[in-house]
Amino acid sequence: MVSLPPSLQKQVSVMSMNLSAKLDELQRGDRQLETTVALCEIRTQLQELTKSVESCQSEVSEVKRDMVAIKHELDTVQQVKEEIEELREYVDRLEEHSHRRKLRLLEQGLTLFLSYAILAAVLGMLQFGYNTGVINAPEVNIENFMKDVYKDRYGEDISDDYVKRLYSVAVSIFAIGGMLGGFSGGIIANRFGRKGGLLLNNVLGIVGGCLMGFTKMAHSYEMLFFGRFIIGVNCGLNTSLVPMYISEIAPLNLRGGLGTVNQLAVTVGLLVSQVLGIEQILGTDEGWPVLLLLAICPAILQLLLLPVCPESPRYLLITKQWEEEARKALRRLRASNQVEEDIEEMRAEERAQQAESRISMTELICSPTLRAPLIIGVVMQLSQQLSGINAVFYYSTNLYTSSGLTEESAKFATIGIGSIMVVMTLVSIPLMDRTGRRTLHLYGLGGMFIFSIFITISFLIKEFFGYVQEMIDWMSYLSVVSTLFFVVFFAVGPGSIPWMITAELFSQGPRPAAMSIAVLVNWIANFVVGIGFPSMKTSLENYTFLPFSAFLAIFWIFTYKQVPETKNKTFEEILALFRHGNDRSSLRDSRLYGEEELATNSSKETVLSDATTANHTHATDKP
């Protein structure tokens, strides 16, 4: 039963007291009031009391309506609570399903056809390695050719400084072509596909190789420059397209190791060019054009092998929306009809980057979410080129002769560099998916920093004790050993990881634009080192490697502070790292680093937000 409000109770009490007093007065007849007058007053009091009771009934009705509304709200809140529980159970099931899917992805192995596709694709990186190193060994032969051409044209001898400048143009124009090719990689990849772009690129490889090979026959060093530029465009496209293709066809658990195959192909190409460039084979005045002409071989071989390979399933599914073709490609690559896990993983990646699909370079640069991975990708590329490794690749023979070795010994020491690169790259393949990208990169940069200091020390000791023949011999070997270890640590980390991690840091939409920017930066740095190292060597002399030491220290600190680990993470999980502000500490103990955790949190936040909105709506609708 509902009690009367306090004000009404007080009013009834007062009226009751008044009535009692009036009745007492009538009974006593003290004041001799007329009975009719007293009854009129009593009637008035009763009318007021009736009005008060009616007002009380109205208030009681309002209270009842409020209680009904409150009960309705409680029912609604209970219903929302039940829905939240159901959604939580659904999200938990989805999370568990995603976890099982990822575990199945991590169990995928290397199939025969996948190995074939990887081999066919990395021929492009072998082309890059071959043309990076092929210009090193025949330096003297090419300079003699330039002297002969100049004398035949102008009837006078060319100065040594001028011929050195011409040779540096032949070295560095390769990087200018690489810039153009690398920058065009994203456009080519989106328009023709990863496989289609690689096939078209081989035309440039054949044209560039032929131009270089027939340079001596045409008696024109300008033809050599143009051929080096064309082959540079070819190699620039390869450095963009090949890592992209391999990262998209590789299983999740093998992506690191297979990505390292890129660098293995580069080192094999370097070694082949160094071996063929020795004087006993093609490092002669007659043989160097053939050495350059052999650049057409990787291009021709890829033209023969690659057509059998499928297009990237990610490109087919996400970019072209051809799901059935993507399934066919996956069945061939995985040698299994069970490809649903891969399809689901690609769909998850597609959902994660729908807001950034078909992203342009300008949009990529301006995107707050993608700015951090873009900066990391660019700095990683710089850490490869500004480490000083290309000074070793381009001018190692010259470095060794200046440190006291004979020219023949210097060429064999250069071959040692190529051999070490191949061996250490093979060693790093299993380490990549065990140790992790970030850890190996830190080891590589740290080791290169230490041995770049040793290279400088060997030069300084040779300068101070140059009059002692035994000291010269000892310092020559110290220089060679320091350079070899410098190359060892390059192969461990900075050699392969920048190419791989740039492709891993981005989802399907922004990946081509990001690869284009990163590869462009790589080739610009390549060009700067190629064109500037001879002048830097002349100016700094024994301290030539100190600027590289400073850069290595800076890159080590940046990697330690900013670069996340991408080992065994799907593309959407890596994207989630940057959505969480790249906070490794908050994610280190998480069972599912990226997509699953993000999906769970987002779903729960959405549900709770909806419940809060519903409650607020009911509260504001109260009468």
Side-chain angles (χ1 to χ4, degrees):
M1 180 175 179
V2 179
S3 62
L4 296 176
S7 59
L8 184 58
Q9 286 180 351
K10 184 177 180 181
Q11 186 177 0
V12 170
S13 298
V14 171
M15 290 180 179
S16 177
M17 290 171 62
N18 291 337
L19 287 173
S20 297
K22 291 293 182 183
L23 290 173
D24 290 340
E25 289 177 0
L26 287 174
Q27 289 174 359
R28 290 195 304 267
D30 293 336
R31 297 178 62 181
Q32 297 179 351
L33 292 174
E34 291 292 337
T35 303
T36 56
V37 175
L39 291 174
C40 285
E41 289 181 1
I42 292 172
R43 186 180 296 110
T44 303
Q45 294 290 332
L46 288 173
Q47 287 175 349
E48 291 179 3
L49 180 61
T50 302
K51 290 179 182 178
S52 297
V53 171
E54 289 175 352
S55 174
C56 176
Q57 288 176 340
S58 176
E59 290 185 14
V60 169
S61 298
E62 290 182 5
V63 170
K64 286 182 177 180
R65 284 197 299 270
D66 287 345
M67 290 181 65
V68 171
I70 291 171
K71 184 177 183 302
H72 178 69
E73 286 186 15
L74 289 174
D75 292 341
T76 303
V77 170
Q78 182 63 31
Q79 183 179 357
V80 170
K81 183 179 178 182
E82 292 174 357
E83 290 176 356
I84 289 174
E85 292 300 324
E86 290 177 1
L87 283 173
R88 280 178 176 166
E89 292 176 2
Y90 173 76
V91 169
D92 290 340
R93 289 196 302 271
L94 180 63
E95 181 178 304
E96 185 63 28
H97 172 72
S98 298
H99 182 55
R100 287 197 301 269
R101 171 172 59 83
K102 183 174 178 180
L103 290 178
R104 288 193 294 269
L105 287 172
L106 290 172
E107 293 170 358
Q108 291 177 341
L110 185 65
T111 65
L112 182 62
F113 190 72
L114 177 61
S115 303
Y116 173 87
I118 297 290
L119 173 64
V122 298
L123 287 171
M125 297 304 282
L126 187 143
Q127 174 83 295
F128 169 57
Y130 184 86
N131 286 286
T132 298
V134 75
I135 202 73
N136 189 350
E139 176 180 353
V140 175
N141 309 109
I142 293 174
E143 288 179 350
N144 290 335
F145 163 72
M146 291 176 174
K147 290 177 182 178
D148 293 341
V149 171
Y150 188 89
K151 187 169 186 178
D152 290 344
R153 286 182 183 176
Y154 305 107
E156 59 183 26
D157 291 331
I158 188 174
S159 67
D160 288 341
D161 288 342
Y162 189 62
V163 78
K164 288 290 183 186
R165 283 199 296 271
L166 285 177
Y167 178 75
S168 68
V169 170
V171 172
S172 56
I173 201 170
F174 172 71
I176 295 177
M179 292 180 214
L180 179 61
F183 190 71
S184 306
I187 300 171
I188 298 297
N190 281 333
R191 181 163 185 179
F192 300 103
R194 284 57 165 156
K195 171 190 166 184
L198 286 171
L199 288 172
L200 289 173
N201 190 32
N202 288 314
V203 176
L204 293 177
I206 294 171
V207 171
C210 290
L211 286 171
M212 293 189 299
F214 294 112
T215 291
K216 189 171 184 180
M217 186 182 297
H219 207 60
S220 168
Y221 49 72
E222 292 86 0
M223 191 169 172
L224 173 63
F225 298 158
F226 189 53
R228 284 281 291 175
F229 174 78
I230 296 296
I231 207 72
V233 176
N234 166 264
C235 291
L237 282 167
N238 280 326
T239 55
S240 180
L241 295 172
V242 175
M244 200 185 307
Y245 180 74
I246 290 178
S247 69
E248 291 181 7
I249 68 173
L252 178 62
N253 59 319
L254 299 177
R255 201 170 62 216
L258 293 179
T260 309
V261 176
N262 285 320
Q263 184 62 19
L264 178 62
V266 174
T267 58
V268 169
L270 277 168
L271 180 59
V272 170
S273 70
Q274 290 162 353
V275 170
L276 294 178
I278 63 174
E279 192 172 352
Q280 290 81 352
I281 304 179
L282 292 174
T284 61
D285 289 335
E286 293 76 24
W288 69 264
V290 179
L291 183 66
L292 299 181
L293 179 64
L294 289 176
I296 67 173
C297 293
I300 293 174
L301 191 57
Q302 191 175 65
L303 276 176
L304 295 174
L305 297 180
L306 196 59
V308 181
C309 303
E311 181 55 88
S312 160
R314 271 185 163 76
Y315 172 77
L316 294 172
L317 181 65
I318 300 177
T319 304
K320 305 298 288 185
Q321 294 295 313
W322 295 344
E323 183 171 338
E324 191 54 40
E325 285 77 1
R327 289 179 187 277
K328 290 178 182 177
L330 281 169
R331 290 187 191 110
R332 296 179 68 194
L333 291 168
R334 304 291 184 259
S336 170
N337 291 325
Q338 304 301 319
V339 295
E340 290 309 310
E341 289 81 9
D342 292 272
I343 294 292
E344 286 182 28
E345 192 252 334
M346 292 179 197
R347 287 296 188 197
E349 179 188 349
E350 182 182 21
R351 289 191 296 271
Q353 58 87 42
Q354 276 180 346
E356 298 152 351
S357 60
R358 297 181 182 177
I359 191 167
S360 66
M361 291 185 190
T362 305
E363 292 169 332
L364 172 62
I365 294 170
C366 296
S367 170
T369 305
L370 297 176
R371 189 175 299 126
L374 180 62
I375 291 172
I376 291 173
V378 166
V379 175
M380 293 288 277
Q381 298 293 337
L382 290 175
S383 73
Q384 182 186 79
Q385 293 300 326
L386 299 184
S387 64
I389 194 64
N390 272 345
V392 175
F393 287 161
Y394 291 148
Y395 302 104
S396 58
T397 303
N398 185 273
L399 279 172
Y400 287 145
T401 53
S402 65
S403 67
L405 291 179
T406 64
E407 188 170 330
E408 185 175 359
S409 298
K411 287 185 178 181
F412 281 107
T414 299
I415 293 175
I417 289 177
S419 303
I420 290 290
M421 282 281 289
V422 172
V423 172
M424 289 309 301
T425 305
L426 285 170
V427 170
S428 68
I429 289 176
L431 291 177
M432 194 64 65
D433 285 310
R434 293 180 185 176
T435 308
R437 286 67 148 150
R438 178 175 176 271
T439 303
L440 283 182
H441 200 65
L442 287 171
Y443 279 130
L445 292 173
M448 291 179 77
F449 171 78
I450 292 170
F451 284 100
S452 67
I453 299 294
F454 275 112
I455 292 173
T456 301
I457 291 172
S458 69
F459 286 159
L460 289 173
I461 295 178
K462 176 181 174 292
E463 177 74 17
F464 292 143
F465 299 97
Y467 55 88
V468 182
Q469 184 60 42
E470 292 80 2
M471 188 64 73
I472 293 176
D473 294 340
W474 187 74
M475 278 302 103
S476 299
Y477 289 117
L478 175 61
S479 176
V480 171
V481 170
S482 298
T483 306
L484 288 178
F485 274 101
F486 185 81
V487 171
V488 163
F489 281 99
F490 174 79
V492 166
S496 58
I497 291 173
W499 300 116
M500 181 196 318
I501 204 168
T502 305
E504 286 184 332
L505 287 176
F506 296 92
S507 55
Q508 186 75 11
R511 188 178 298 129
M515 287 296 293
S516 293
I517 293 173
V519 170
L520 173 65
V521 170
N522 185 287
W523 280 98
I524 289 174
N526 187 326
F527 171 76
V528 170
V529 173
I531 197 73
F533 183 75
S535 301
M536 189 170 73
K537 187 172 180 295
T538 303
S539 302
L540 299 178
E541 296 180 347
N542 296 321
Y543 299 96
T544 301
F545 270 81
L546 280 186
F548 297 128
S549 301
F551 278 125
L552 286 166
I554 292 169
F555 294 137
W556 192 95
I557 294 170
F558 179 87
T559 302
Y560 182 79
K561 296 271 189 189
Q562 299 295 329
V563 178
E565 182 55 70
T566 59
K567 180 184 72 171
N568 286 345
K569 291 185 178 68
T570 62
F571 290 112
E572 68 273 13
E573 286 175 350
I574 295 168
L575 181 62
L577 288 175
F578 295 102
R579 285 178 174 167
H580 283 286
N582 197 18
D583 183 6
R584 287 191 299 274
S585 61
S586 66
L587 299 174
R588 188 179 294 119
D589 300 325
S590 174
R591 179 166 60 91
L592 301 170
Y593 283 84
E595 171 209 352
E596 292 84 3
E597 180 182 61
L598 183 63
T600 303
N601 293 339
S602 299
S603 300
K604 289 178 180 177
E605 289 169 4
T606 302
V607 170
L608 292 174
S609 175
D610 291 342
T612 305
T613 303
N615 291 341
H616 177 71
T617 302
H618 288 299
T620 55
D621 288 342
K622 287 169 55 177

